[in-house]
Amino acid sequence: MTDIKTYIAENQSRFLDELFGLIRIPSVSPRPENKPFMKIAAGYISELLLKAGVDHSQVYETPGNPVVYGEKITDKTKPTVLVYGHYDVMPADPLDLWTSPPFEPEIRDNRIYARGANDDKGQMFMHIKAFEYLAKSKKLNCNVKFMIEGEEEVGSAGLKDFCTKNRELLASDIIIVSDTTMATEDTPSITNGLRGICSFEVEVTGPDRDLHSGHYGGAVMNPVNALSKIIAGLTDHQQKITIPGFYDDVEIISDIEREELKKAPFHIEKFKKSIKIPDVYGETGFTVLERIGMRPALDVNGIWGGYSGEGTKTIIPSKAFAKITIRLVPDQDPDKIAALFEKHIKNTAPAGIKVDVKYLHGGKAYVSPIESKGFVSASLAYEKTFGKKPIPIRSGGSIPIISDFESILGVKSVLMGFGLESDAIHSPNENFRIEYLHKGIETITWFYHYFAGVNS
Ligand code: BES
Ligand code: ZN
């Protein structure tokens, strides 16, 4: 059997065909109308696993979207690796900003452009292909289990339930995940921290119908004005979150960690240019990388209400809405923060309106040790393919189920991501470089090699 590089070269067009087949299934988890596609995507992955060489695979129903499971047990005395990934994707809107349609993958400049090309269909697919190579070439020296879910982008409730009910089935020594980003294109890195998250929808109700703002303006509280005031009050002039008790459990960043972080490659001018902003912004007293990786943040993801069509319509709207997420750091508990948030919103809401807060889902932050066998094996694997020792990075993103894996299954995860910030995940024109798809497959095969204890 050939080596991994040759295997990839010989099979690259088949790999792309298979990945494109998955990408074409619009498995958008936040959209109820896309529900039928979740099962189709799960079935497609189960087939891919079987073709790649698992002993058996099954699609498990959950109260939410199905979970795909597959395993190959080579020898019970050998270590077991559990692979986690997700087949659900974010909505593709705004559609008119895509150069090519989001669910019709297209290759331009050696990148695959499509929703899910990176997050996480492309990255998850690398694991199936790395496994395929090892299984077909009889080089697999670990037991492998796959667990691919369809609700990561909406809080992973179904998978949490699945893990709780299937602890034995999922028993493993390490969980490996590719759903994160590297520091820069020539700085290989392994994510050793993720932020937690709380997601909310806030609904403000005023009068029982839209009112003429001439008749009533100045005498009735306007729900859009009220919501704007509430949101404006959630952070102060130093960009600190004003919710009482919010910072009580926030992990304090040690001087050593701050010094370490300063060594990470980061160029403020490049950063601003990459997203075309005139300046950076954030909590006073912290650097950009600290703000992203180690401090909490509150963001309004969407806000609507009243008239936003052409021209003007002089009304006081009956309702206003906002979707808000709060990124959390280690030691903050999402449920506790959600309760504080709700209480604070109610306390600060102006008179004359009613406010409802819906807590959609939450997940804890995650920090992984960098001395563990899993992390060290991943580090050796990156060094082998990228020719450079990877640096540990704390990411600002969230994969809420990762901390649950630790509490429910008692197993740590290694976050071996191969994305880049320019891959534009969650944005129009999401893309994934084919070179990194291949590098990822290669690195994962080396991970198995080192994890099984062969140190050559
Ligand atoms: N792949 C991301 C997580 C990620 C993004 C990690 C960037 C590192 C850097 C994942 O699919 C994601 O988007 N998660 C959501 C979770 C939320 C909707 C509960 C997130 O972070 O917004
Ligand atoms: Zn995502």
Side-chain angles (χ1 to χ4, degrees):
M1 186 72 171
T2 50
D3 65 12
I4 180 63
K5 275 196 185 6
T6 315
Y7 188 75
I8 294 171
E10 286 173 354
N11 291 281
Q12 54 175 326
S13 69
R14 174 174 61 89
F15 286 3
L16 289 179
D17 285 347
E18 289 173 355
L19 175 59
F20 285 13
L22 177 61
I23 289 173
R24 285 192 191 101
I25 307 166
S27 43
V28 179
S29 55
R31 287 263 154 81
E33 63 270 30
N34 289 52
K35 187 91 184 162
F37 295 111
M38 307 318 280
K39 212 175 176 159
I40 296 172
Y44 188 97
I45 293 165
S46 183
E47 285 298 317
L48 280 183
L49 288 174
L50 287 167
K51 272 202 277 173
V54 295
D55 300 329
H56 60 89
S57 168
Q58 197 177 329
V59 174
Y60 285 83
E61 291 301 328
T62 75
N65 296 327
V67 172
V68 189
Y69 179 79
E71 64 174 32
K72 184 168 182 67
I73 306 298
T74 51
D75 176 346
K76 288 215 163 110
T77 62
K78 293 201 166 145
T80 300
V81 175
L82 176 61
V83 177
Y84 162 76
H86 64 95
Y87 63 81
D88 64 320
V89 296
M90 279 290 186
D93 327 48
L95 296 179
D96 54 333
L97 295 184
W98 286 79
T99 304
S100 51
F103 296 104
E104 289 170 30
E106 192 174 286
I107 298 175
R108 300 193 296 276
D109 308 326
N110 297 316
R111 295 163 188 246
I112 305 162
Y113 281 87
R115 173 57 85 234
N118 168 327
D119 182 9
D120 182 40
K121 288 175 174 172
Q123 294 219 55
M124 177 268 292
F125 182 78
M126 299 182 309
H127 285 267
I128 303 181
K129 295 300 116 181
F131 166 77
E132 177 185 294
Y133 166 73
L134 294 172
K136 299 232 155 115
S137 60
K138 308 258 177 296
K139 286 182 182 162
L140 193 61
N141 43 15
C142 296
N143 303 306
V144 186
K145 298 178 176 180
F146 285 89
M147 175 174 61
I148 315 296
E149 68 150 326
E151 288 182 289
E152 193 275 339
E153 303 289 13
V154 290
S156 303
L159 186 64
K160 205 168 165 179
D161 184 73
F162 179 77
C163 289
T164 311
K165 292 183 177 140
N166 292 283
R167 284 193 178 92
E168 234 161 80
L169 178 76
L170 302 172
S172 64
D173 299 290
I174 191 76
I175 299 173
I176 55 173
V177 184
S178 293
D179 193 22
T180 49
T181 301
M182 302 203 309
T184 73
E185 64 184 274
D186 38 35
T187 317
S189 43
I190 306 174
T191 300
N192 74 317
L194 289 166
R195 285 195 284 190
I197 193 166
C198 276
S199 302
F200 305 97
E201 213 170 277
V202 179
E203 178 176 347
V204 176
T205 308
D208 70 346
R209 60 189 164 90
D210 291 356
L211 303 175
H212 191 292
S213 65
H215 263 157
Y216 295 94
V220 171
M221 186 35 140
N222 177 321
V224 178
N225 293 23
L227 183 56
S228 310
K229 278 182 202 278
I230 295 170
I231 291 170
L234 287 171
T235 44
D236 68 12
H237 64 289
Q238 294 192 313
Q239 296 317 313
K240 288 242 179 301
I241 294 164
T242 54
I243 302 168
F246 181 85
Y247 289 95
D248 284 1
D249 302 323
V250 165
E251 179 195 59
I252 298 181
I253 315 174
S254 70
D255 290 344
I256 300 170
E257 268 184 290
R258 295 186 90 163
E259 282 312 308
E260 273 302 307
L261 196 57
K262 282 196 191 123
K263 293 183 198 153
F266 180 77
H267 304 282
I268 200 152
E269 291 311 320
K270 262 199 204 162
F271 177 79
K272 291 197 289 193
K273 218 170 135 197
S274 72
I275 47 172
K276 298 195 174 63
I277 51 165
D279 209 350
V280 296
Y281 182 77
E283 192 180 355
T284 307
F286 295 94
T287 66
V288 173
L289 287 185
E290 285 169 352
R291 286 170 185 163
I292 294 172
M294 296 176 171
R295 296 294 295 169
L298 184 149
D299 279 288
V300 179
N301 313 123
I303 182 162
W304 68 103
Y307 180 73
S308 55
E310 247 180 81
T312 53
K313 186 179 179 200
T314 46
I315 55 161
I316 295 174
S318 166
K319 281 186 182 283
F321 304 85
K323 286 187 189 283
I324 298 176
T325 46
I326 309 181
R327 298 281 167 182
L328 308 174
V329 297
D331 301 335
Q332 285 187 295
D333 177 63
D335 296 345
K336 184 173 162 191
I337 295 296
L340 294 176
F341 176 82
E342 187 167 355
K343 191 168 153 205
H344 183 65
I345 296 272
K346 297 248 152 108
N347 285 345
T348 54
I353 45 107
K354 180 168 103 40
V355 56
D356 292 300
V357 177
K358 220 191 281 167
Y359 174 32
L360 301 176
H361 48 80
K364 285 193 182 136
Y366 179 75
V367 187
S368 79
I370 60 170
E371 319 77 34
S372 67
K373 183 182 159 195
F375 196 93
V376 171
S377 306
S379 179
L380 290 168
Y382 274 78
E383 197 172 342
K384 183 94 184 167
T385 33
F386 288 84
K388 259 190 206 175
K389 195 173 165 80
I391 58 164
I393 53 166
R394 288 240 204 156
S395 163
S398 312
I399 310 174
I401 197 70
I402 301 290
S403 68
D404 294 323
F405 286 157
E406 198 172 356
S407 55
I408 302 171
L409 304 174
V411 185
K412 287 270 186 191
S413 300
V414 182
L415 302 161
M416 302 174 63
F418 299 94
L420 296 171
E421 252 153 45
S422 59
D423 293 354
I425 60 171
H426 293 203
S427 302
N429 301 315
E430 174 178 351
N431 64 88
F432 195 27
R433 293 189 193 194
I434 295 175
E435 186 194 344
Y436 284 73
L437 176 84
H438 293 167
K439 278 217 162 99
I441 298 172
E442 211 182 312
T443 309
I444 295 163
T445 61
W446 285 109
F447 171 83
Y448 284 99
H449 172 82
Y450 291 116
F451 193 71
V454 186
N455 291 313
S456 59

